[in-house]
Each structure stands twice: as C-alpha cells, then as structure tokens.
Amino acid sequence: SDHQLEYPASPAEMDWSPYFPAYVADSEDLPDASAHAEENGQLLTAPKRLKQDVEIIDIGCGFGGLLVAMGPAVPKSLMLGLEIRTQVTEYVQERIRALRAQEAESGKYQNIGCFRANTMKFLPNFFRKAQLSKIFICFPDPHFKAKKHKARIVSTTLNSEYAFVLRPGGIIYTITDVEDLHNWMVHHLDAHPAFERVTEEEQEADECVSIMKTATEEGKKVERNKGQKFVALFRRLPDPSW
Ligand code: SAM
C-alpha cells in the first residue's frame, strides 16, 4: 500500500542519482549554488542533480521491453519506467544493470531507468509542470467491469495530471488490444481541453509507434495470439492565453 511507496515531497527533492548515475552533474555544472544551500547556518545537502531531466516516461512499464527498445532510439533523452509491482520493478532494474555492464564501452542504456511508483497517485511529486515530452501508456490493465473503471489509468482526473507534467507539443502514446478500453481512452482524452488527437498519418510516421507496437512484452503476447492492436496518440495543446 501507499506507505510502502517512496516518493519525494516535490520534484526538487527527488534524488535521481541512483537511477541515472552516468548523468549526475558535477557541482560546477549546476547553474546555482543550490547543492550547498544553507539554512540557519546549517549546510543542507540537496539531492544530487542530473545534467538533464527525465523527459519520457512509460506508465506501468511491466518488464521493460519498451524502455530497452526506446533507450537506444532516443540517446539524447532520459526515459523512466514506472511500475507498481515490486518484483517486476526489481527485474527491470536488474535488466538495465546487466545491459549497462554489457555495453560499458558504448555507454548504451545509461539513459533508461525504472523505479516503483503508483502513477495514479504521485506523478506531480516526481515531475515539474511541462517537464515531459512523451508519456507512454502501453497495454494498461483493462479493468473490464464497470465498477472497476475508476482503476483505469486514463480518466478525466488523471488526464489533467498528464496535461500538467507534459509540455505543450508533447505526446501521450496509448496502445491496447482491448477495443472497449481503446474507445474509453480516446473518449476521455478527446474530451479533455488540453489534448488533441494526432492524425493517423502523423501517427504512422512516428518511429515510436512502431517500437511501441512490437517491443513491449504485452505487445509480443498479442502478436503471438494474432490479436488486434489499437493505437491512439494525443498532443498536449498550449495553454490558452486568458
Ligand atoms: N506496459 C507493459 C507492456 O506493454 O508489456 C505492461 C502492461 S501490463 C498489462 C500493465 C502494467 O501496469 C502492470 O505491470 C502493472 O503492474 C502496472 N500498473 C498498474 N497500475 C499501475 C499504477 N497505478 N502505477 C504503476 N504501474 C501500474
């Protein structure tokens, strides 16, 4: 339950260094002296900062197939998988450690990380407003029964959180094999004033879409069972100037 979940009080208090050790900033890289802030004469040790922020997330990343495929495709960005199941998270972390060791010379896979989180609850604790450029929601749990719909990862309330952390022009990628859930996600994102649907043409031209269709463990399972895959992308609109 929540008390076992670790989360910072605010994004500024998040220590990213265990997840992206190759990106930890030297103190001279930092624009201000915040790493050595003082309060009442006491030296405060602020969390180590990264040279750049995480900008892509995979919500409910499962066993990490998307992270592993996307990492080398976006070598200049940091991508994070968020997963609620402890053992699955540990598996992904171990998988990333092994890949980094194998690729120690090339430095590949340093830009992907994973930790345990309930994304339905603490997203704004980890990410600042407009920090992210892409959010992936791949094969989320369908929660078929109407009584369980509130557990779905796309909803009016959660869409407002995604809109908060996503920058204008940023994209939410969704894919599922459950047509009813696809319709649900499209309905809720369409209805949200911060999002517009990306055209089919633009969608099919986006290399992340082909990766998302084939790289996740769930996507592979659907492939084996010759199931259908429903894709929808939504762009974060600029905030209106009141
Ligand atoms: N995206 C992966 C894929 O395509 O292979 C995994 C899909 S799996 C059906 C859904 C995943 O979402 C599970 O691993 C589950 O533990 C995770 N999940 C469900 N609710 C979550 C939440 N609130 N926060 C983080 N992860 C969650």
Side-chain angles (χ1 to χ4, degrees):
S1 64
D2 290 352
H3 62 268
Q4 291 159 321
L5 283 161
E6 286 178 26
Y7 56 95
S10 76
E13 289 173 44
M14 176 65 191
D15 183 0
W16 291 99
S17 60
Y19 310 105
F20 298 99
Y23 286 83
V24 173
D26 301 325
S27 49
E28 56 264 29
D29 292 334
L30 297 173
D32 53 40
S34 61
H36 308 289
E38 267 188 61
E39 197 178 81
N40 303 328
Q42 288 245 323
L43 201 61
L44 297 177
T45 333
K48 288 185 192 144
R49 303 252 291 265
L50 299 183
K51 291 177 191 162
Q52 63 187 84
D53 290 327
V54 165
E55 65 164 291
I56 306 175
I57 63 170
D58 182 10
I59 287 185
C61 69
F63 294 93
L66 185 74
L67 282 172
V68 168
M70 278 289 295
V74 291
K76 293 200 168 80
S77 304
L78 299 190
M79 175 166 176
L80 178 77
L82 297 154
E83 172 52 51
I84 202 166
R85 287 181 290 169
T86 308
Q87 283 184 343
V88 176
T89 307
E90 284 167 3
Y91 168 86
V92 178
Q93 290 174 335
E94 192 48 51
R95 187 175 179 187
I96 294 172
R97 253 194 300 278
L99 285 168
R100 283 177 179 171
Q102 248 173 48
E103 289 287 339
E105 236 163 82
S106 69
K108 244 165 110 178
Y109 302 112
Q110 295 291 343
N111 65 330
I112 57 171
C114 172
F115 57 69
R116 179 163 179 253
N118 180 353
T119 61
M120 293 180 85
K121 294 204 169 153
F122 304 118
L123 218 49
N125 293 70
F126 293 106
F127 308 107
R128 283 179 287 104
K129 180 174 164 57
Q131 178 173 333
L132 304 177
S133 63
K134 297 183 203 298
I135 296 179
F136 287 92
I137 301 179
C138 298
F139 301 97
D141 295 327
H143 298 293
F144 288 107
K145 291 187 185 144
K147 250 170 72 182
K148 289 269 184 182
H149 284 175
K150 60 181 184 300
R152 286 181 167 173
I153 216 106
V154 163
S155 67
T156 309
T157 320
L158 288 170
N159 289 351
S160 292
E161 291 201 358
Y162 302 147
F164 177 80
V165 294
L166 203 58
R167 67 182 67 145
I171 308 270
I172 293 197
Y173 295 77
T174 72
I175 185 166
T176 175
D177 57 325
V178 178
E179 189 168 12
D180 169 58
L181 178 62
H182 168 70
N183 292 337
W184 165 282
M185 293 197 286
V186 168
H187 169 76
H188 282 82
L189 283 159
D190 253 341
H192 198 288
F195 294 105
E196 72 173 5
R197 185 143 185 203
V198 168
T199 63
E200 184 124 6
E201 202 180 13
E202 195 183 327
Q203 175 181 306
E204 292 314 308
D206 187 329
E207 72 158 332
C208 299
V209 171
S210 42
I211 297 176
M212 171 175 84
K213 280 181 181 165
T214 53
T216 83
E217 282 69 20
E218 205 60 38
K220 291 195 167 106
K221 202 158 92 188
V222 175
E223 196 83 44
R224 282 196 298 275
N225 297 338
K226 308 218 179 326
Q228 261 186 297
K229 294 177 193 172
F230 303 94
V231 174
L233 272 52
F234 284 82
R235 181 180 292 103
R236 169 72 161 94
L237 295 165
D239 290 322
S241 45
W242 300 110

